[in-house]
Amino acid sequence: MTIKEIQDAIVEDFSMFDDWMDRYAMLIEIGKECPLIDDKYRDDKHLINGCQSRVWLSAEMKDGKVYFAADSDAVITKGIIYLLIKVFSGQTPSDILDSDLGFLDKIGLKEHLSPTRSNGLLSMLKQMMLYAEAFKLQEDKK
Amino acid sequence: MDSTYINEIRRQFPILNQQVYGKPLVYLDNAATTQKPLCVIDRERDYYLHENCNIHRGVHYLSQMATEAYENARRTVAAFIHAAAPHDIVFTRGTTESLNLLASSLGQLLIEENDKVLISAMEHHSNLVPWQQMLRQKKGQLLVCPMDDNGVLDLQRYETLLDEKPRIVSIAHISNTLGTINPIKEMIGMAHKHGIPVIVDGAQSIAHHYIDVQSLDCDFFVFSGHKMYAPMGIGGLYGKSDWLEKMPPYQFGGEMVDQVSFEATTFNKLPFKFEAGTPNVGAALGLESAVRFIESLDRNQIEAYESALLQRAVEQLSEIEGLRFIGQAAKRSGLVSFVIDGIHPYDLGTIIDKMGVAVRTGHHCAEPVMTRFGIPGTVRASFALYNTMEEVDVFVKAVKKAAAMLR
C-alpha cells in the first residue's frame, strides 16, 4: 500500500468514533498491544529525549525500503508512534520525504506533534525524515 | 470559608470563566503561574494608557509620575514582606533572575577556589544550575542536603554540612515538586551560628504565606510576581542592606551608574545599582496591585482554605489504587504530586486535559528530585485561593476516569 492509502485507512478506522474518549481509548489499546522495538535498541544511542516522555527509534534499509522500529515509555505517545511507523515503514526514502501528515489532523491528533508538547514525537518525526534523507543519499551514490 | 466569598474572589479572575474542549476549565497549575485578577490587569493597562514613560531620568511630568509610581511599588512590596527599607528590594524579572544575580554577584564577593555552596536535594533547577555553573568556573563545590522518602530535609545532615563551612546556603521555602514547607527559620539560625548567609527561595511561598524577612532573619529572599497574581516578567530580590552594599553590580548600563568616563565608572546607590537598563515599570505596578489584592483578603482564612483544598484532594486521591504520593511531609503547602503504578504521568495529564483539567506533568524543572524518587515525573495539582472544592472533586474524578482508561 502507498503512504496515502495507509493514511486513508487509519482515518477511516478512527472515523468510527465521534467521541475523543473513544479515539484515545483506541490509541491506548494500540499503544499497549504493540511491542515495537527490540530491547537492544532501548538504549541511550536510540533515545530521543522529549522531556515529558521518552522515545526510542531505530531504522534500517532493506531492498530499497526503510524499516523503522520505535517505542516510548508513555502509552499515548506509543500509540501515535505506532501510527507513524505503520505509515512510513516499508516505504522508499523518496516516498517518505514526499509525504504529508494531514491524516493526523483528520483524526484529531495533530496537537501531539506540536513543538510545545515536548513528548518527543516531533523530534522523532524529524529523525525519521533524516534517516530517509540519509538512506536516499546512500542509494543515489550507488 | 463560605463559597460566596470564594465566588466573589473568583469573579475577579475572568480567565477562569471559560470552557476548554467544551468542559469548564479547572485550573490547577498555580505553582507554575497563577491567574491575574482584574485589578492587576487594569493597573498595567492604565499605566500604558496614561503614565508610560522611562523613569529616573526625565525632568518632564510623565517621567516624574512614572518614577514616583515605580518607587511607590517598591515601598509596597518592601512593606509586604516586612523589609527594613524600600531600597532592600531590587526589582528583577523573577526568581530565576534573582538567583542568577546572587550566584553571580554574591559569588564574586564570597567564593574563591575550593569554596562551597550548600543547597538542598529538593531545589528546582533555578536554585541549582546558577550555583553549579558559578562553582564550576570558580573551581568550587556544591553541597546538597539530602531528604528522606517523605520529602523532608535531614537537619542532622544539614548541621554536618554546615561544618564543612559553605560560604552560602540557598534553600527553597516550599518545594515546587513535593510541597514540603522547609523549617527555614530554624535552618537560617543554624547557618548563622556558623556565620553563613542564607538565601530563601520564596517562589512557592509568597502567594500563600505571610512573609516577614526580618523575623526570618534571612539574608536574601527571592520571589516571582507571576506566581502571586502579578504579571509575568516582574519579581524581586530582597537583601539585607549590608550585603547589597558590599555586592558588586550584576549587569551594567542605564540607571545603575553614578559617573561614567572612558576610564572608569562609579555605580549608583541601592537599589539602582542592581537595576540596569529600563525596568518593567508596568509589571512592577501590576505587582503592587497584586500585593494590595492579597492584603485586602483575610489571609488567615485564605491559608486555611487553601490547606482545606489540599487536604480534600489528598483524601480523595488516596482512594485510588496504586497511587503513590511523592512528598508526604507533615508540613505541606499548596500542591500535591503523585504517580500511579503502571501509568505514565504524561498519559494521565493528556487525558485529564481533555476533561478540562489543567495540571502539570513531568519533572517540574527539578530533575534531581525525580531521580531521587526513581520516577520519570509526577502529576502535580497546585491550588490557589480561587479554586473551589467542586473543582477538586472534578479533578479527582478525572484522574479516576483516566486511570481506568490507561490501565
Side-chain angles (χ1 to χ4, degrees):
Chain A
M1 283 211 297
T2 66
I3 288 181
K4 180 81 176 55
E5 283 165 353
I6 300 169
Q7 290 184 348
D8 288 347
I10 292 173
V11 172
E12 204 184 308
D13 282 349
F14 272 82
S15 67
M16 290 190 292
F17 309 115
D18 300 328
D19 189 38
W20 72 266
M21 266 186 78
D22 294 334
R23 278 203 298 271
Y24 272 81
M26 176 156 159
L27 205 58
I28 290 162
E29 281 316 302
I30 292 171
K32 273 186 197 163
E33 280 168 15
C34 304
L36 291 170
I37 201 168
D38 205 279
D39 261 355
K40 68 178 181 208
Y41 294 118
R42 282 178 70 113
D43 58 14
D44 285 354
K45 220 178 100 191
H46 296 86
L47 177 69
I48 297 167
N49 226 330
C51 190
Q52 294 254 354
S53 55
R54 293 192 291 173
V55 172
W56 295 269
L57 174 71
S58 77
E60 58 178 0
M61 183 82 158
K62 237 191 289 173
D63 305 327
K65 288 172 177 166
V66 188
Y67 292 88
F68 293 106
D71 202 353
S72 172
D73 55 353
V75 71
I76 292 173
T77 308
K78 199 167 161 182
I80 295 167
I81 285 175
Y82 175 77
L83 297 180
L84 291 174
I85 293 215
K86 202 168 165 185
V87 167
F88 291 126
S89 218
Q91 305 290 342
T92 65
S94 302
D95 285 347
I96 294 170
L97 292 167
D98 290 342
S99 64
D100 80 86
L101 288 165
F103 80 107
L104 283 174
D105 202 7
K106 286 185 192 146
I107 58 177
L109 296 174
K110 194 182 161 212
E111 66 200 44
H112 290 278
L113 286 174
S114 141
T116 56
R117 252 344 247 214
S118 62
N119 53 12
L121 277 174
L122 191 65
S123 311
M124 184 188 88
L125 197 61
K126 280 186 189 150
Q127 193 63 41
M128 289 171 101
M129 294 298 158
L130 282 176
Y131 272 123
E133 192 106 35
F135 287 134
K136 187 165 184 275
L137 280 173
Q138 262 177 27
E139 288 282 285
D140 292 348
K141 273 189 199 157
K142 275 181 192 167
Chain B
M1 181 176 292
D2 80 89
S3 57
T4 13
Y5 186 53
I6 294 304
N7 283 330
E8 219 170 273
I9 291 173
R10 238 182 122 75
R11 268 198 295 279
Q12 299 178 53
F13 293 83
I15 197 171
L16 298 172
N17 184 26
Q18 67 174 301
Q19 300 208 325
V20 294
Y21 312 109
K23 308 264 168 32
L25 169 68
V26 174
Y27 185 78
L28 299 177
D29 195 15
N30 296 288
T33 197
T34 57
Q35 300 303 342
K36 324 301 174 199
L38 276 172
C39 60
V40 169
I41 298 167
D42 288 346
R43 184 65 192 98
E44 205 173 6
R45 185 168 182 271
D46 264 8
Y47 169 73
Y48 286 111
L49 280 176
H50 306 294
E51 296 157 274
N52 175 52
C53 204
N54 213 328
I55 56 168
H56 292 139
R57 53 198 80 178
V59 292
H60 54 83
Y61 178 80
L62 270 190
S63 178
Q64 285 179 30
M65 294 299 284
T67 304
E68 202 174 314
Y70 183 71
E71 290 310 319
N72 268 334
R74 193 190 309 278
R75 278 190 274 277
T76 305
V77 171
F80 182 60
I81 61 169
H82 300 269
H87 65 240
D88 294 348
I89 302 292
V90 175
F91 282 128
T92 64
R93 282 188 293 144
T95 301
T96 300
E97 191 180 41
S98 299
L99 288 166
N100 274 280
L101 189 162
L102 287 169
S104 168
S105 175
L106 196 61
Q108 210 177 312
L109 182 71
L110 295 179
I111 303 293
E112 279 162 28
E113 211 175 303
N114 299 322
D115 278 348
K116 294 159 187 166
V117 172
L118 173 58
I119 63 169
S120 86
M122 63 176 76
E123 301 308 321
H124 60 154
H125 297 161
S126 293
N127 196 23
L128 187 171
V129 183
W131 301 114
Q132 180 188 61
Q133 297 303 310
M134 180 271 289
L135 289 165
R136 175 181 285 180
Q137 245 177 21
K138 301 247 182 184
K139 300 193 172 62
Q141 190 194 342
L142 192 65
L143 302 176
V144 182
C145 177
M147 60 180 156
D148 67 13
D149 290 342
N150 289 326
V152 177
L153 289 180
D154 180 342
L155 287 194
Q156 277 180 349
R157 283 286 293 141
Y158 178 67
E159 182 65 61
T160 57
L161 286 165
L162 289 173
D163 287 337
E164 292 194 35
K165 306 239 173 300
R167 301 300 308 264
I168 301 166
V169 171
S170 191
I171 300 283
H173 192 175
I174 294 174
S175 155
N176 75 319
T177 320
L178 311 168
T180 311
I181 305 177
N182 288 318
I184 48 165
K185 192 161 182 176
E186 193 183 341
M187 294 174 81
I188 291 163
M190 288 163 77
H192 282 176
K193 274 191 192 140
H194 295 257
I196 305 161
V198 180
I199 299 162
V200 175
D201 176 348
Q204 295 299 339
S205 61
I206 186 122
H208 308 291
H209 301 278
Y210 270 115
I211 303 294
D212 183 334
V213 290
Q214 290 186 85
S215 139
L216 287 173
D217 199 24
C218 54
D219 299 271
F220 301 93
F221 186 93
V222 300
F223 63 95
S224 298
H226 74 93
K227 292 190 204 290
M228 54 176 288
Y229 314 109
M232 290 187 172
I234 190 76
L237 158 66
Y238 156 81
K240 285 181 181 167
S241 306
D242 288 354
W243 280 115
L244 294 178
E245 293 285 2
K246 275 187 269 183
M247 283 160 52
Y250 166 58
Q251 289 177 336
F252 303 91
E255 188 54 31
M256 57 78 64
V257 297
D258 177 24
Q259 287 184 324
V260 179
S261 71
F262 285 113
E263 289 72 37
T265 298
T266 56
F267 301 114
N268 203 337
K269 58 184 197 303
L270 289 178
F272 312 113
K273 181 171 91 175
F274 292 109
E275 292 182 3
T278 297
N280 193 344
V281 180
L285 303 185
L287 174 60
E288 180 180 38
S289 286
V291 167
R292 297 236 185 273
F293 166 75
I294 294 172
E295 282 175 336
S296 74
L297 307 165
D298 183 332
R299 296 189 67 193
N300 287 328
Q301 261 198 53
I302 293 289
E303 215 176 298
Y305 176 71
E306 287 181 346
S307 119
L309 287 171
L310 176 63
Q311 206 184 330
R312 188 179 182 104
V314 169
E315 266 166 27
Q316 292 190 23
L317 287 169
S318 310
E319 294 165 7
I320 297 174
E321 212 190 295
L323 185 141
R324 178 158 67 103
F325 292 108
I326 303 300
Q328 298 203 75
K331 284 191 173 163
R332 278 151 74 185
S333 171
L335 61 92
V336 57
S337 232
F338 63 90
V339 291
I340 301 178
D341 284 347
I343 296 177
H344 197 287
Y346 176 77
D347 290 325
L348 196 88
T350 301
I351 299 290
I352 70 172
D353 167 56
K354 288 279 177 192
M355 300 174 185
V357 180
V359 294
R360 179 89 182 265
T361 63
H363 56 57
H364 317 296
C365 296
E367 279 187 75
V369 180
M370 299 302 120
T371 311
R372 162 71 178 74
F373 287 97
I375 48 177
T378 74
V379 177
R380 180 188 73 184
S382 51
F383 307 97
L385 47 80
Y386 41 62
N387 289 125
T388 65
M389 295 293 172
E390 291 73 31
E391 285 183 314
V392 173
D393 298 349
V394 171
F395 156 64
V396 177
K397 233 191 218 161
V399 172
K400 283 182 180 165
K401 214 166 170 181
M405 273 176 87
L406 287 161
R407 270 205 176 113

